[in-house]
Amino acid sequence: MGGGGQLTEAGEQVSGRAGGVYTWEEVQSHCNRNDQWLVIDRKVYNITQWAKRHPGGIRVISHYAGEDATEAFTAFHPDLKFVRKFLKPLLIGELAATEPSQDRNKNATITQDFHTLRAKAEREGLFQARPLFFCLHLGHILLLEALAWLIIWIWGTSWTLTFLSAVMLATAQLQAGWLQHDFGHLSVFKKSSWNHVLHKFAIGHLKYGIKKIKYMPYHYQHQYFFLVGPPLLIPVYFHIQIIRTMISRHDWVDLAWSLSYYLRYLCCSVPMYGLFGSVVLLSFVRFLESNWFVWVTQMNHLPMNIDHDKHQDWLSMQLHATCNIEQSPFNDWFSGHLNFQIEHHLFPTMPRHNYHVVAPQVRALCEKHGVPYQVKTMWRGLADVFM
């Protein structure tokens, strides 16, 4: 209907006309690496060249090639008006009037009801961050680290005090991890640039830098979890990946942030433990942190059916692969509010202190449409990792 799109001999994408009208069959045929279209709010976009420059990475946006990306687009971009400026040059047409708004097996009723729920959450201000919450969270991280060093500076480096200090340092590191996660999801500031700057500070100076592992076989993680997960993920694999990635990509700014962390750590530890003792202490802190991090992040993922996207609507897809851990002040703090994993996946840019407000509304929507909404105790979630 709209002339489709084809590849020239040079491999460049030739788009249909800007006012083209397309069927889902035509859109779905443009889903390979060198020819990618997607649909947002019934508008058809050719993202073949743009995908390589996508700030969120080529893998994320390419995942929706040949599909409707409306729900994902809305979920991951806090400032839709700003982002739409980048879409205008990519517009090649729209869906034919006879075509449904959803592709494949997506449930139109669930999609519409979820859209209504999101609009309600926006009106209630649930996407607005409370600065005091994040200031207090940062304050308690800095306090934990300061107390950890003061203990050994004042009372000495006995085994008991060293262990206590290591636990406090690991706790500060994990809590800093949850904070960088907030910045990474653009859920603290309205402007993405501010989130990016503070994200580099939290992940680089407070923590030492970390990059997402893109090529691990997550579908088989239940098979290798106990071998490399809790004890080795952060102390070994992440350290190697971090340095290799930053050097190979020439991310000198990120490298400088990471070095600032190690410089600060060594200035505090070497006078008491020497260089070798400082390395041993840091490795033990990372060991404790790694166990905490891996168990928390996996207890609401690993027991679920994690698989490739089955082209479901946004609500059904997220509920299919995640579950919640029951709320309590301790669980919220211990997991960085990732005990509300369902709400986090549905609303990735929502500040985490509002998850408990929207959770009952999400649960009611799931009950209305017969979508399972699982909530477990902390112990049940941890135990299910074994099964």
Side-chain angles (χ1 to χ4, degrees):
M1 295 179 67
Q6 33 186 316
L7 295 174
T8 65
E9 292 183 0
E12 297 179 348
Q13 178 67 27
V14 178
S15 304
R17 60 187 184 277
V21 179
Y22 305 96
T23 64
W24 273 116
E25 184 178 0
E26 287 179 288
V27 173
Q28 290 165 0
S29 67
H30 297 271
C31 61
N32 59 66
R33 184 174 184 179
N34 298 314
D35 180 16
Q36 299 183 352
W37 291 8
L38 54 72
V39 175
I40 298 175
D41 291 327
R42 298 190 61 84
K43 302 293 184 181
V44 182
Y45 298 92
N46 182 344
I47 62 165
T48 306
Q49 299 302 323
W50 167 249
K52 301 172 185 176
R53 306 192 302 273
H54 181 235
I58 187 173
R59 290 168 62 86
V60 175
I61 193 170
S62 296
H63 176 77
Y64 289 94
E67 300 181 21
D68 176 40
T70 303
E71 292 179 299
F73 175 79
T74 303
F76 287 113
H77 299 98
D79 190 347
L80 295 179
K81 184 178 180 180
F82 173 77
V83 178
R84 288 186 188 279
K85 296 179 181 179
F86 297 92
L87 287 178
K88 288 182 179 179
L90 311 178
L91 179 65
I92 59 175
E94 61 184 13
L95 292 174
T98 55
E99 292 291 308
S101 296
Q102 290 75 35
D103 61 325
R104 310 201 191 198
N105 301 323
K106 296 178 181 178
N107 188 307
T109 304
I110 293 180
T111 299
Q112 181 56 49
D113 284 354
F114 180 73
H115 176 77
T116 301
L117 172 59
R118 183 183 178 87
K120 182 174 182 289
E122 290 174 348
R123 289 195 305 271
E124 293 176 351
L126 298 185
F127 287 88
Q128 302 299 315
R130 294 203 303 268
L132 181 61
F133 173 87
F134 292 103
C135 287
L136 290 175
H137 188 78
L138 174 60
H140 105 287
I141 293 170
L142 299 177
L143 180 61
L144 278 170
E145 183 162 332
L147 290 176
W149 292 120
L150 282 173
I151 287 173
I152 56 177
W153 285 345
I154 296 174
W155 289 296
T157 57
S158 67
W159 284 103
T160 302
L161 291 176
T162 297
F163 178 79
L164 178 60
S165 178
V167 170
M168 295 178 71
L169 288 172
T171 302
Q173 285 292 285
L174 240 297
Q175 293 301 322
W178 304 145
L179 182 60
Q180 69 81 21
H181 182 254
D182 297 321
F183 291 126
H185 276 276
L186 312 179
S187 63
V188 181
F189 297 105
K190 291 182 179 179
K191 290 188 176 181
S192 298
S193 58
W194 293 4
N195 284 292
H196 292 317
V197 170
L198 270 295
H199 182 248
K200 286 185 178 294
F201 166 75
I203 203 171
H205 184 68
L206 291 184
K207 280 195 60 60
Y208 68 90
I210 196 169
K211 296 288 184 180
K212 179 176 175 59
I213 302 174
K214 295 182 178 180
Y215 303 108
M216 289 184 70
Y218 291 107
H219 184 52
Y220 300 101
Q221 59 187 331
H222 59 286
Q223 297 177 7
Y224 62 76
F225 174 80
F226 294 102
L227 178 63
V228 302
L232 300 179
L233 189 62
I234 289 178
V236 178
Y237 192 89
F238 273 180
H239 269 83
I240 295 173
Q241 279 290 96
I242 291 162
I243 301 300
R244 187 175 70 88
T245 300
M246 287 189 291
I247 293 176
S248 64
R249 294 183 180 180
H250 298 162
D251 288 338
W252 307 127
V253 174
D254 289 350
L255 184 60
W257 276 115
S258 297
L259 291 177
S260 74
Y261 166 80
Y262 287 110
L263 179 62
R264 176 169 58 86
Y265 170 79
L266 292 174
C267 286
C268 293
S269 61
V270 169
M272 264 88 60
Y273 293 101
L275 181 60
F276 178 76
S278 297
V279 172
V280 172
L281 176 61
L282 179 61
S283 298
F284 183 61
V285 170
R286 294 299 178 216
F287 171 81
L288 296 176
E289 177 193 1
S290 186
N291 279 274
W292 187 343
F293 170 79
V294 173
W295 283 98
V296 166
T297 56
Q298 297 309 298
M299 66 184 177
N300 39 26
H301 286 97
L302 198 59
M304 306 302 290
N305 185 13
I306 302 173
D307 206 339
H308 298 291
D309 183 1
K310 296 286 197 305
H311 303 291
Q312 296 175 300
D313 56 87
W314 186 254
L315 179 75
S316 301
M317 180 175 64
Q318 304 307 327
L319 270 294
H320 184 70
T322 55
C323 65
N324 278 2
I325 302 300
E326 64 183 12
Q327 183 194 18
S328 71
F330 175 78
N331 287 356
D332 293 350
W333 173 83
F334 184 79
S335 67
H337 288 84
L338 292 183
N339 50 326
F340 289 98
Q341 193 66 233
I342 291 173
E343 287 67 34
H344 174 58
H345 276 218
L346 291 174
F347 308 105
T349 61
M350 178 180 288
R352 56 180 160 121
H353 52 68
N354 288 330
Y355 290 158
H356 75 282
V357 180
V358 77
Q361 302 174 50
V362 172
R363 188 165 193 164
L365 180 60
C366 291
E367 291 176 354
K368 175 182 177 181
H369 294 284
V371 178
Y373 183 101
Q374 293 193 49
V375 181
K376 303 177 180 180
T377 64
M378 176 75 77
W379 295 115
R380 181 73 265 170
L382 295 173
D384 283 349
V385 174
F386 286 92
M387 301 178 181

